């Protein structure tokens, strides 16, 4: 789908580092790239992306976003 994929969430713009669509399992896949150590806030950020894609892009024919 693209890199730095833009979505509007409320009044804010968010940018997913990489957004793919898997044509075999019919599901979107969000990837967030980080260079440092894992932090709990990263998981929350990725959760926001997954929820936004599920609400804005996913159709009834797609499986839940990964």
């Amino acid at each position: 789908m693209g890199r730095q994929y833009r979505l509007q969430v409320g009044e804010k713009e968010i940018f997913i580092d990489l957004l793919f669509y898997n044509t075999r399992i019919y599901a979107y896949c969000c990837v967030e790239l980080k260079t440092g150590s894992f932090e709990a806030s990263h998981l929350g950020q990725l959760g926001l992306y997954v929820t936004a894609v599920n609400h804005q892009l996913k159709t009834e024919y797609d499986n839940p976003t990964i």
Side-chain angles (χ1 to χ4, degrees), residues 11-63:
E11 297 291 321
K12 293 185 71 174
E13 285 184 324
I14 61 171
F15 294 89
I16 303 170
D17 285 343
L18 298 170
L19 181 63
F20 298 99
Y21 186 81
N22 187 310
T23 58
R24 291 188 184 249
I25 62 171
Y26 303 104
Y28 288 96
C29 179
C30 300
V31 177
E32 180 66 16
L33 303 172
K34 300 290 185 194
T35 58
S37 299
F38 174 78
E39 296 180 21
S41 62
H42 298 158
L43 189 57
Q45 183 180 20
L46 190 57
L48 171 67
Y49 296 162
V50 168
T51 301
V53 169
N54 276 337
H55 283 90
Q56 295 182 28
L57 301 177
K58 181 181 162 296
T59 68
E60 63 183 74
Y61 304 108
D62 296 323
N63 288 310

